[in-house]
Amino acid sequence: MSARHRIRLSTPAAHFHDGFPLGNGALGAMLHGSAGAERFDLNLDTLWSGGPLPAEEGPAPSLLLPELREVIRKGDFVQADGLARRMQGPGWTESYQPLGRLDWRYATTGQADDYGRELDLAQAITTTRHRGDGGPVELSAFVSAPANVLVASVTGAEPLAPPSFTSPHPGVQVSEFEEGGARWLVATGRVPAHVLPNYVDQQNAIVYADDEPDQDGTVAAGMGFAVAVALQRTASGEVRLIASAAGGFRGFDQRPSADLAALAEQARGPVASALASSTAELRAGHIEDYRGYFDRVDLDLSASPDAARAELFYHYGRYLLISSSRPGTQAANLQGIWNADVRPGWSCNYTTNINVQMNYWPAEPTGLQDLHGPLLDLIRDLVATGATTARRYYGAAGSAAHHNTDIWRFTTPVIGEPWFTTWPSALLWLAAHAWDHAEYGGAGDLALPVLRAGTEFALDMLVPDEDGRLVMSPSTSPEHRFLVAGSDAATSEGAAMDQELIHEVLTRYTRLASDDLAERARSALALLRPVAIGDDGALLEWYGERPSHEPGHRHVSHLYGLYPGTRITETGTPRDFDAARRALRTRLENGSGHTGWSQAWILCLAARLRDAELAERSISILLDELSSESLLDLHPHGSWPGGHIFQIDGNFGAVAGMTELLVQSHEQMISLLKTLPPSWHSGSVRGVRCRGGHRVGLTWRAGTLVGADITIGRPGPAILDIPGDTPPLTIVDEDGTLVPHAEAEGAIPGRRRLTWDGLPARRYTARTTTSER
C-alpha cells in the first residue's frame, strides 16, 4: 500500500494521545510504541460505570415551568437561570471506563537511530521496528473484527518476560497458567458503581460497590469485566500475543453482570479460537474485513504535494470511524473507544449538543452508512427513555434529551449551570441523523418515529411571543451566555439553534406524515418565528440584540441552519446566507475555533460558504495546532498531561468538511468543487455518497474539473452543479452511449448547472473535451 496511507513517526508516544489506536468497534487498544516494550491501553465499548437508571421521585420539575416562562417573558433572565437550576435532574451521566494496561517487554533495545513506528491506515495495522542486540526486531499489531481479538506478533527477538496486566480498578484478580501450548493471563474485576464527571469537585468522586452478585450473577451497578491474554511461540519462530475482553453490560435497562467466572470464560473464548489459526490467517481475515469499509472511498491529493498531510488526516478520520463504530457496537463516544482514565474528560460520554453528532457527520457521504447504525440505535433508545423526561420536566408529549447521555441512556438535565444544562433539544438534532440516513439511501424506518417524538415535544415547547410568533421556551444556545444588567444569563426563549431545529423537525415530519400531528405541525410552521438578523447584518444567536458573554465562543450553534442543517443556502435564502457569513466572521475575529471540534465545524461552514481561503486555514490549524503527534484531535486543557485532552470529534468533523469542499448534495443537486482549497490544485476522489442515493467520483487538474462519474440512486432528473470555468462536457452512460443534457437555470454566479434524465443504478461519465485528448 502506498505511503500516502501511512502515519510514520520516529519517536515513541510521549502521552496517551500520541499513541496509535487500534480497534474493531468494540475492543480497543492504544499502542505507545516504545522500542522493545509495548504498552497496550485496553478498552471495551460497553464498559461504563453505573447501572440502569432508577425512577425519579418527588415533585415534577415541570411544575415550575409556567413560572419560568413568565419570568422569561418579563425579561428577568437572571431569575430565569435561578428557576432553571431548580429544574435540573438528580445527577450526571456515568463515565466510560478503561479495562487496564497490558505491558509486554518483548526485546532488548539497541541503536536508537534504527527506531521507527507506523500506522498503516489502509490495513489497520501498526508496526514498531528497532534494532535489538541480535539484530532487527519488529512488532506488528491489529485488532480483528472477525476474530474479536488483539493480535501482536514479534519477529527477530525472544521475549524477555511474559506480559503483565495492571488496572486502575482496585481488587482486580490476575491468574497465570500454561494451557494448550500457550502461556495464559486472565484478569477479572469490577468498574465503579458511580463516577462523578472530572469537572465536579466533590468527595467520593469514585465509588466502587462491594455487594455480592445475585443468583443470576447481576448487580445494581458496577459491572464486571475480564481480560484474557495468551502468549504463544509458533512453529515459524514468531512469538505472538492474543488478547480479548468481556464486560457485564446486558442492556441499558438491565442489571449488569458481575459473574466474573462467566466473564472470564467469555473473554477466553475468542482467544482460544484465534490460537488455532496462524497469524497470517488472522491478518488476512482482518484486512479483508477492514478494507471492505476503507476501500469504499479514496481521496488522492498526491498531485498536490502541499496537501499530503490533509489527505492523510482525511484517511485517518475514516480509519478511526471504522475502528470505533461497527454494526452492533455502542456509538463512538468523545474518545471513540480509547480512554485510559477512570475520570476521563467530560466523562468520555456522549455530548449531544455537538460532539456525538459530529462523530457521525462523515458516515453517510464517505460510504460508511452501516457504521452509522450504532448512533441510530442510541437515538432509538433515547426516544424511549426521553419520553419520561419530556413529561416529567416539561409536561410535554414526545421525547426529550439534554446535552449529555451515556450507555444507560440518560436524558435529564445534569446538575450545573443553565448555559449547558438547560437545553432539551438533543433529540431534535439527533433526528437529523435518522433523516439523513434515509436521504442518502439507507433504511428510513427510524426517521418517522424519531420525527414524531420530536414534533410532539416541539409543539408543546412552543409559546407565542409578544407578536404572536411561536418561540421555544425555555431555550438556550448551547454552552453560551449573553450579558444582561451587569451579569450574564443563558435561559430565555427562541434561541436561534432551537428555532432552526424545530423548523427542521416540523418540516420533515410534514413531508413524511399526513395525520393530525402533521396538520398541527403545518399550523405551527406558519407562525414559527424565523431566526433574526441584527443591525450589523449578522445572524442573531438569541431573540433580539444581546451582547455575547464570549464573542469568540467555541460553539457556533446559531449557524446550524447553514451546517449541518440545510435551510440556509446561497440561492434559496441569500439574505440569511450573507447574515451567517457575517456571524461567522464575528466569531473568528474574536478567536473562535480554539478546540479541534470547533475548528472542524468552521471548516464545514467554510465549505458551505464557498470560502476556500478559510477552509485552507482551518485545515492548517487542525493539523498544526490542534492535533497530536499521531494526528488525534485535541481539546486544550491545562490540567491534563501535555496540556490537551484527546477528543475524537474533530477528526470526524474534518473528514465531513473536506468531503464538502469537493462534493455537496443538499440543494437537490450534486455540486462539485464548490470550495477547492488553493493547495488542492489537482487530485481525485471516488465513492462519495450523495443525498438521493447517488455515488460520485471526480478528477480535477490545476483547479479545473476534468471529469466526473455519477451512479444514479433515485430516478428523475439528474442535476450537476459545476464551476463555471469547466470546459465543455460530454456525458455518456456505462454503455458508452452519448447522453443528451441541457443547461439548467438557477446557478449562482461563477457556476453552471447541467441536467439529464438519470436512470437508477446507471453510471454516467462526464468528461471535458480537453480530458479526452
Side-chain angles (χ1 to χ4, degrees):
M1 187 56 62
S2 70
R4 67 189 183 90
H5 290 129
R6 300 188 183 204
I7 302 175
R8 289 174 168 154
L9 299 174
S10 59
T11 57
H15 303 286
F16 179 82
H17 57 242
D18 296 320
F20 284 148
L22 297 173
N24 64 5
L27 179 65
M30 184 71 80
L31 278 68
H32 294 246
S34 293
E38 187 54 84
R39 168 180 170 180
F40 307 85
D41 285 305
L42 299 178
N43 287 103
L44 194 62
D45 67 320
T46 55
L47 199 70
W48 290 67
S49 61
L53 300 169
E56 292 184 32
E57 299 179 351
S62 62
L63 296 173
L64 294 172
L65 185 60
E67 182 182 358
L68 173 59
R69 284 174 167 167
E70 181 61 26
V71 167
I72 290 171
R73 181 50 46 85
K74 291 179 179 178
D76 191 344
F77 303 119
V78 174
Q79 185 180 352
D81 275 5
L83 283 167
R85 290 186 185 92
R86 293 169 59 190
M87 294 179 65
Q88 292 170 358
W92 299 269
T93 66
E94 291 296 339
S95 297
Y96 181 58
Q97 292 297 299
L99 286 161
R101 186 177 84 193
L102 195 63
D103 288 292
W104 187 23
R105 180 73 173 170
Y106 63 87
T108 59
T109 56
Q111 300 175 29
D113 57 1
D114 288 331
Y115 171 87
R117 63 180 174 121
E118 72 175 35
L119 175 60
D120 185 335
L121 302 177
Q123 299 193 49
I125 296 174
T126 184
T127 305
T128 302
R129 299 180 180 90
H130 76 282
R131 179 169 293 278
D133 291 344
V137 179
E138 178 177 298
L139 180 145
S140 64
F142 55 91
V143 175
S144 166
N148 195 28
V149 291
L150 161 69
V151 179
S153 172
V154 171
T155 57
E158 179 71 33
L160 304 180
S164 63
F165 180 79
T166 56
S167 176
H169 307 300
V172 170
Q173 299 295 312
V174 178
S175 62
E176 299 183 59
F177 53 90
E178 299 278 346
E179 183 178 288
R183 184 182 182 95
W184 284 82
L185 179 155
V186 177
T188 57
R190 287 177 66 179
V191 298
H194 181 54
V195 176
L196 291 178
N198 67 297
Y199 55 82
V200 176
D201 185 14
Q202 291 185 16
Q203 292 183 339
N204 300 318
I206 304 171
V207 177
Y208 287 89
D210 57 5
D211 57 324
E212 291 295 324
D214 287 350
Q215 289 185 347
D216 62 356
T218 66
V219 292
M223 71 178 68
F225 67 87
V227 175
V229 185
L231 191 68
Q232 181 189 54
R233 174 176 289 281
T234 67
S236 65
E238 159 214 24
V239 178
R240 62 180 184 171
L241 178 154
I242 301 178
S244 192
F249 181 71
R250 299 170 60 244
F252 75 87
D253 56 354
Q254 302 294 312
R255 287 164 57 93
S257 173
D259 185 340
L260 301 186
L263 292 171
E265 287 303 306
Q266 187 179 336
R268 288 189 63 189
V271 178
S273 296
L275 287 172
S277 299
S278 70
T279 302
E281 290 170 331
L282 292 170
R283 181 190 294 250
H286 157 71
I287 292 174
E288 180 181 11
D289 167 79
Y290 172 80
R291 292 193 65 173
Y293 294 104
F294 187 82
D295 289 351
R296 294 177 185 180
V297 165
D298 187 33
L299 170 65
D300 186 349
L301 298 176
S302 55
S304 300
D306 292 341
R309 290 185 70 223
E311 183 199 325
L312 191 63
F313 201 51
Y314 184 87
H315 294 306
Y316 192 39
R318 295 191 307 118
Y319 163 85
L320 290 170
L321 188 56
I322 299 166
S323 302
S324 62
S325 184
R326 291 289 189 96
T329 71
Q330 295 298 308
N333 61 48
L334 277 173
Q335 293 182 195
I337 54 170
W338 301 281
N339 164 50
D341 301 302
V342 176
R343 291 186 79 190
W346 303 285
S347 302
C348 205
N349 63 18
Y350 302 112
T351 303
T352 50
N353 65 13
I354 175 61
N355 309 95
V356 73
Q357 289 94 337
M358 183 178 284
N359 282 3
Y360 287 89
W361 284 354
E364 298 294 336
T366 66
L368 300 176
Q369 62 276 13
D370 34 358
L371 306 190
H372 208 170
L375 180 66
L376 301 179
D377 292 340
L378 171 61
I379 295 167
R380 185 178 287 106
D381 292 344
L382 292 178
V383 170
T385 60
T388 300
T389 297
R391 183 172 60 253
R392 177 173 171 78
Y393 283 80
Y394 302 99
S399 299
H402 293 75
H403 92 296
N404 277 172
T405 191
D406 58 16
I407 200 170
W408 309 111
R409 301 339 192 201
F410 182 100
T411 57
T412 61
V414 303
I415 299 171
E417 294 300 323
W419 46 270
F420 61 90
T421 67
T422 309
W423 187 74
S425 301
L427 267 173
L428 302 181
W429 189 339
L430 289 167
H433 284 261
W435 175 271
D436 280 349
H437 186 62
E439 278 282 281
Y440 277 86
D445 58 308
L446 182 60
L448 185 58
V450 176
L451 288 167
R452 180 184 294 114
T455 296
E456 290 175 335
F457 179 70
L459 291 174
D460 282 349
M461 293 297 287
L462 291 173
V463 300
D465 66 7
E466 61 273 14
D467 297 321
R469 306 304 296 270
L470 295 178
V471 292
M472 184 172 181
S473 181
S475 175
T476 61
S477 191
E479 303 192 25
H480 200 192
R481 290 164 279 176
F482 51 87
L483 301 176
V484 57
S487 184
D488 57 67
T491 310
S492 62
E493 61 184 9
M497 170 174 263
D498 285 338
Q499 297 297 112
E500 291 280 14
L501 289 171
I502 288 178
H503 180 275
E504 182 175 86
V505 165
L506 298 187
T507 300
R508 289 174 173 176
Y509 186 74
T510 60
R511 292 178 184 172
L512 295 181
S514 56
D515 54 11
D516 291 343
L517 183 63
E519 286 304 312
R520 290 177 57 204
R522 288 188 185 90
S523 298
L525 281 168
L527 293 172
L528 190 68
R529 185 184 67 80
V531 176
I533 296 174
D535 294 339
D536 62 353
L539 210 66
L540 294 180
E541 188 164 2
W542 296 280
Y543 186 96
E545 300 270 3
R546 294 179 191 163
S548 168
H549 173 266
E550 185 183 353
H553 192 66
R554 59 195 177 277
H555 286 254
V556 284
S557 306
H558 52 318
L559 304 184
Y560 176 92
L562 180 63
Y563 189 96
T566 60
R567 183 189 66 81
I568 299 176
T569 64
E570 192 167 3
T571 55
T573 57
R575 184 166 177 265
D576 284 359
F577 187 85
D578 182 64
R581 185 192 301 278
R582 292 172 183 266
L584 179 60
R585 184 184 305 140
T586 297
R587 274 287 206 272
L588 294 174
E589 289 171 349
N590 288 279
S592 186
H594 49 274
T595 70
W597 63 262
S598 62
Q599 191 59 237
W601 198 350
I602 289 167
L603 171 61
C604 293
L605 292 167
R608 291 280 173 92
L609 289 169
R610 295 200 298 136
D611 191 332
E613 297 291 342
L614 176 58
E616 184 98 78
R617 175 178 175 270
S618 288
I619 295 170
S620 177
I621 292 172
L622 282 165
L623 284 167
D624 298 336
E625 302 175 26
L626 295 170
S627 292
S628 72
E629 184 180 43
S630 61
L631 294 184
L632 289 172
D633 173 67
L634 297 177
H635 189 299
H637 197 297
S639 63
W640 230 256
H644 294 88
I645 297 178
F646 154 48
Q647 195 168 305
I648 204 166
D649 37 27
N651 287 106
F652 296 140
V655 175
M658 286 192 271
T659 303
E660 288 264 333
L661 299 177
L662 304 175
V663 181
Q664 297 180 23
S665 63
H666 61 287
E667 297 179 273
Q668 311 303 315
M669 69 188 78
I670 299 169
S671 296
L672 307 181
L673 299 184
K674 238 181 175 181
T675 316
L676 190 66
S679 67
W680 295 22
H681 53 78
S682 301
S684 66
V685 67
R686 61 167 175 80
V688 176
R689 295 174 74 242
C690 301
R691 291 170 178 86
H694 314 305
R695 293 195 309 276
V696 174
L698 63 140
T699 302
W700 67 98
R701 298 193 197 106
T704 300
L705 178 69
V706 296
D709 297 306
I710 301 98
T711 300
I712 297 296
R714 296 174 188 164
I719 303 176
L720 189 63
D721 176 73
I722 59 176
D725 61 358
T726 303
L729 291 171
T730 58
I731 301 176
V732 297
D733 69 11
E734 57 195 45
D735 297 326
T737 303
L738 191 67
V739 176
H741 63 276
E743 294 275 343
E745 297 181 350
I748 56 179
R751 307 281 296 178
R752 294 165 48 207
R753 292 180 182 176
L754 307 179
T755 183
W756 70 96
D757 291 329
L759 297 176
R762 295 285 286 182
R763 183 184 182 199
Y764 298 87
T765 299
R767 290 288 181 267
T768 63
T769 54
T770 54
S771 68
E772 295 172 347
R773 292 172 186 164

